[in-house]
Amino acid sequence: DQQVKQNSPSLSVQEGRISILNCDYTNSMFDYFLWYKKYPAEGPTFLISISSIKDKNEDGRFTVFLNKSAKHLSLHIVPSQPGDSAVYFCAASERMGSGGSNYKLTFGKGTLLTVNP
Amino acid sequence: KAGVTQTPRYLIKTRGQQVTLSCSPISGHRSVSWYQQTPGQGLQFLFEYFSETQRNKGNFPGRFSGRQFSNSRSEMNVSTLELGDSALYLCASSLGEPGQFNQPQHFGDGTRLSIL
């Protein structure tokens, strides 16, 4: 059962336009969401995160929106640049037990973003 | 500032063997996490260590184990290797304590393990 889904394996966008990467989840116990970017032959790079108590978080060109009722989050990149071309992973965290440091992290399978010059 | 260093970069083993992968976190980072990435399953969380203790664990069999040393360096061991263990194994370190997601994780470039 895939609890975090990135239904679009790939996305192609023109340079300067907005890129919107989507992620759906099924587990209502997820309390933190993260986005990572990964270039070929490199490890993932953390981009931005959002707590479940918020609905928006912004960092430069990157904005993450969270819609808890729809169990949906999206990453907006504006404006898109060719250097943004990479695989983007959505991840979600669920607290396990009553302690603050026990959690389970679940990743989506990623979306390949291609930004065309 | 040096990043997360994983060794070796590539490794070829045969079924039934065991393997140890190494991860040196960024200086000052005490939290180290391990992940497995495969084309079919994507990125899956293996376990996390903090202050030499395993704090969190994903859904992997007991053949997958790890440890962390007093200098925060971590090793991951896989015993009785199976063909399905072929994957990219990624290590990440963080300045924060486990669960502090406002402290980003910094990933190494991974170890590509191939099982013949």
Side-chain angles (χ1 to χ4, degrees), chain A residues 14 27 41 54 56 61-63 72 75 83 92 100 115:
Chain A
Q14 207 63 29
N27 187 346
K54 295 188 175 182
K56 177 183 175 181
R61 296 187 298 116
F62 302 93
T63 304
H72 176 84
L75 174 67
V115 180

Side-chain angles (χ1 to χ4, degrees), chain B residues 16-31:
Chain B
Q17 287 187 310
Q18 67 92 27
V19 68
T20 299
L21 312 181
S22 180
C23 172
S24 293
I26 291 173
S27 178
H29 287 194
R30 292 189 293 161
S31 176

Side-chain angles (χ1 to χ4, degrees), chain A residues 29-58:
Chain A
M29 299 304 293
F30 286 145
D31 62 352
Y32 219 96
F33 302 89
L34 308 94
W35 284 95
Y36 290 86
K37 175 175 74 172
K38 186 180 185 300
Y39 294 118
E42 293 184 14
T45 302
F46 170 79
L47 275 175
I48 192 169
S49 63
I50 186 168
S51 165
S52 61
I53 62 173
K54 295 188 175 182
D55 55 19
K56 177 183 175 181
N57 189 24
E58 190 172 356

